[in-house]
Amino acid sequence: MRKYLLIGVSAFVLGAGSMAYVSQQALASAQPRTNTYKMLELFGDVLDTVERQYVTEVDDKKLIEAAIDGMLTSLDPHSNYLNPESFDDMRDQTRGEYGGLGIEVTSEDGVVKVISPMDGTPAFKAGIKAGDYITAVNGGSVLGLSVSDAVKQMRGKPGEAVTLTIAREKTDPFDVKLVREVIKTKSATGKLIGDYGYLRVSAFNEKTTDEAEAVITDLRAKNPKIKGWILDLRNNPGGLLDQAVGISDLFLEGGEIVSQRGRDPRDVERYNARPGDATGGAPIVVLTNSGTASAAEIVAGALQDRKRAEVVGLTSFGKGSVQTVIPLRGGMDGALKLTTARYYTPSGKSIQKTGIIPDLEVAQTREDAQAIANRAFQFSEASFRNALNAEEGKARIGAHEPAEAPPEGFDAKTGDFQLSRAEDVLKYGSVAATPKLPKPQARLAEVIGPKAPKVEPPQVKK
């Protein structure tokens, strides 16, 4: 109410001069509005022509839904229309239980692309990887389908088999047969690794903060003298903003966690931590990779900026935008998932396209190190053609030799090299104090197309 009162007072004080100005504004705005009406009339003409002349009968409802979805997906990769069925599916997913395969996907130029498989799900067990393309479901092509339509084909009755056709870089397309399960995503799990606590957060649904707090309490009861914590956010595709704030709050005594800013520069909303650190102030290392996205990046960025944790692994996905789900007629007509703001880390930095840069860059395998050198590994927000722009003057790090990779003889099938380096950072007290390993000597490939800016890979926190 206060905002409206201030506007009213301003208009009264400006008087007649402002009335003339408003009149000019009204005339100026009439032309764009006229153009909008003309384009809506054009849409009606096209719909009418398709209805009368298309080679087969069409479903008006499907056509209009597709048009709405196309309008939204043209804005950015994360805005889209959810029909009533898709809206219900989304609510099931955020509640942490639904029937399906356990894959977080997006659309890139009409192709369904995997952001990451979820821990312990059929997709995870089948070896589906971030960056894989899904080209067909049960032999039927999904090329050109919206994400919601493609997901609809993958979800269904638990116990039924589904065959996905996967296209992966440097391999021929292959089929993967999976069986749908009731996906009860336990988004936070943990264990003791020697004197350290390990907390794995695989997604951010309505139960995540409660589950994580229970894991921390349980591990501290088993070992009250835990010397440090590893927070594993690798291949975490994100989820609910309030849960990202809740997880960050578990490790902070106060201060800002994240801010989000809308179209109006004055429209800033800040989220702050409350007093109380669930770990008792023990050191923390956060693990990230290119599948660490959105809400997971909020947590990594907050703990890194607030000097509460150091980050080990690979640069994160780089999704720095906030989507608001806006029900239409209470959800009866579905909902819009619309990008309404960007989020910023406590230092005021946007990670849109650029991602969270680790304090110690560590490739998981020698093959990953080579992939980073030839850019094949760089599936990220920056790879989307219509992604929101990064901050002015900022760009994602291009092809480079990663700082570290497993030495010769390291068994990547039984060992977790990134995790072992996180343990080393806890053991030595900081990234700066941790002895560095020789660079993996990955061969830099020729970059095709516009060259990425030359940026030295990070090794220690600045």
Side-chain angles (χ1 to χ4, degrees), residues 67-81 263 321 323 336-340 342 352-353 381 384-389:
I68 295 170
D69 191 55
M71 173 179 64
L72 294 167
T73 55
S74 72
L75 299 173
D76 68 80
H78 309 293
S79 294
N80 65 291
Y81 170 67
R263 181 191 297 184
S321 59
Q323 283 68 48
L336 304 183
K337 189 173 77 169
L338 192 65
T339 299
T340 54
R342 296 173 186 262
Q352 175 63 17
K353 286 190 175 182
E381 180 80 2
F384 292 121
R385 189 172 298 170
N386 66 331
L388 294 176
N389 290 331

Side-chain angles (χ1 to χ4, degrees), residues 4 27 29 60 71 90 119 147 153 156 164 174 202 221 230 236 247 249 259 267-268 272 292 304 320 348 354 444:
Y4 295 116
L27 290 172
S29 64
D60 288 353
M71 173 179 64
M90 187 216 69
D119 288 2
V147 172
Q153 293 193 29
L164 303 183
F174 57 93
S202 60
I230 296 169
N236 182 321
I247 290 292
D249 194 7
S259 63
D267 183 15
V268 180
N272 296 311
T292 303
Q304 186 185 56
T354 57
L444 287 174

Side-chain angles (χ1 to χ4, degrees), residues 357 361 394-401 439 452-458 462:
I357 298 173
E361 184 184 42
K394 299 291 180 65
R396 189 178 181 87
I397 187 170
H400 64 279
E401 293 179 85
K439 277 196 171 187
K454 185 177 181 181
V455 182
E456 286 297 319
K462 296 179 180 178

Side-chain angles (χ1 to χ4, degrees), residues 119 124 187-202 211-212 214-220 223 226-235 251 279 283-288 364 416 418-420 422-423 426:
D119 288 2
F124 181 87
S187 55
T189 57
K191 60 184 178 181
L192 289 170
I193 303 177
D195 290 330
Y196 305 128
Y198 170 84
L199 174 63
R200 165 68 181 158
V201 177
S202 60
E211 290 176 354
V215 168
I216 293 171
T217 300
D218 178 60
L219 294 182
R220 290 190 72 186
N223 181 3
I226 288 177
K227 294 181 178 179
W229 291 82
I230 296 169
L231 174 59
D232 190 349
L233 298 176
R234 292 174 294 179
N235 294 323
F251 306 108
T279 69
I284 302 171
V285 171
V286 178
L287 283 172
T288 64
Q364 180 72 330
D416 185 332
Q418 291 173 331
L419 179 60
S420 68
E423 291 179 62
L426 288 175

Side-chain angles (χ1 to χ4, degrees), residues 1-274:
M1 190 67 182
R2 183 182 177 189
K3 182 181 290 186
Y4 295 116
L5 287 171
L6 287 173
I7 292 171
V9 171
S10 299
F12 179 79
V13 171
L14 288 170
S18 71
M19 292 177 66
Y21 176 75
V22 169
S23 177
Q24 292 169 7
Q25 285 289 92
L27 290 172
S29 64
Q31 188 65 32
R33 181 58 61 185
T34 300
N35 289 337
T36 300
Y37 292 142
K38 284 183 178 179
M39 295 308 295
L40 288 172
E41 185 178 355
L42 172 62
F43 175 79
D45 291 342
V46 171
L47 181 63
D48 178 65
T49 302
V50 171
E51 286 176 331
R52 288 185 292 103
Q53 298 191 27
Y54 189 66
V55 64
T56 61
E57 288 189 10
V58 295
D59 184 326
D60 288 353
K61 184 172 181 289
K62 287 185 177 179
L63 285 177
I64 294 171
E65 285 183 351
I68 295 170
D69 191 55
M71 173 179 64
L72 294 167
T73 55
S74 72
L75 299 173
D76 68 80
H78 309 293
S79 294
N80 65 291
Y81 170 67
L82 303 171
N83 63 27
E85 185 178 346
S86 298
F87 183 38
D88 287 341
D89 287 343
M90 187 216 69
R91 286 186 287 192
D92 288 341
Q93 187 166 350
T94 57
R95 282 193 290 264
E97 183 174 330
Y98 58 94
L101 304 175
I103 318 174
E104 185 79 12
V105 296
T106 187
S107 178
E108 184 180 276
D109 297 330
V111 183
V112 178
K113 197 168 188 177
V114 176
I115 294 178
S116 69
M118 300 173 188
D119 288 2
T121 62
F124 181 87
K125 295 171 187 174
I128 291 175
K129 298 180 178 181
D132 283 348
Y133 292 96
I134 300 172
T135 60
V137 178
N138 289 331
S141 174
V142 294
L143 299 177
L145 293 185
S146 67
V147 172
S148 57
D149 284 340
V151 167
K152 191 184 301 181
Q153 293 193 29
M154 288 183 271
R155 288 192 181 174
K157 188 176 178 181
E160 292 180 344
V162 181
T163 299
L164 303 183
T165 302
I166 303 295
R168 182 177 294 168
E169 191 155 356
K170 296 185 178 180
T171 65
D172 293 330
F174 57 93
D175 288 342
V176 178
K177 189 172 182 179
L178 307 95
V179 177
R180 292 189 184 103
E181 295 178 2
V182 175
I183 307 298
K184 294 182 178 180
T185 53
K186 189 169 180 59
S187 55
T189 57
K191 60 184 178 181
L192 289 170
I193 303 177
D195 290 330
Y196 305 128
Y198 170 84
L199 174 63
R200 165 68 181 158
V201 177
S202 60
F204 290 88
N205 60 43
E206 293 177 359
K207 305 172 185 175
T208 302
T209 302
D210 290 341
E211 290 176 354
E213 189 169 19
V215 168
I216 293 171
T217 300
D218 178 60
L219 294 182
R220 290 190 72 186
K222 290 177 179 176
N223 181 3
K225 297 182 179 179
I226 288 177
K227 294 181 178 179
W229 291 82
I230 296 169
L231 174 59
D232 190 349
L233 298 176
R234 292 174 294 179
N235 294 323
N236 182 321
L240 300 176
L241 173 62
D242 67 324
Q243 296 298 308
V245 171
I247 290 292
S248 303
D249 194 7
L250 291 176
F251 306 108
L252 295 169
E253 284 285 0
E256 185 172 307
I257 292 171
V258 66
S259 63
Q260 63 179 52
R261 307 175 194 180
R263 181 191 297 184
D264 187 336
R266 297 168 297 180
D267 183 15
V268 180
E269 189 167 359
R270 301 184 187 278
Y271 298 86
N272 296 311
R274 298 162 298 178

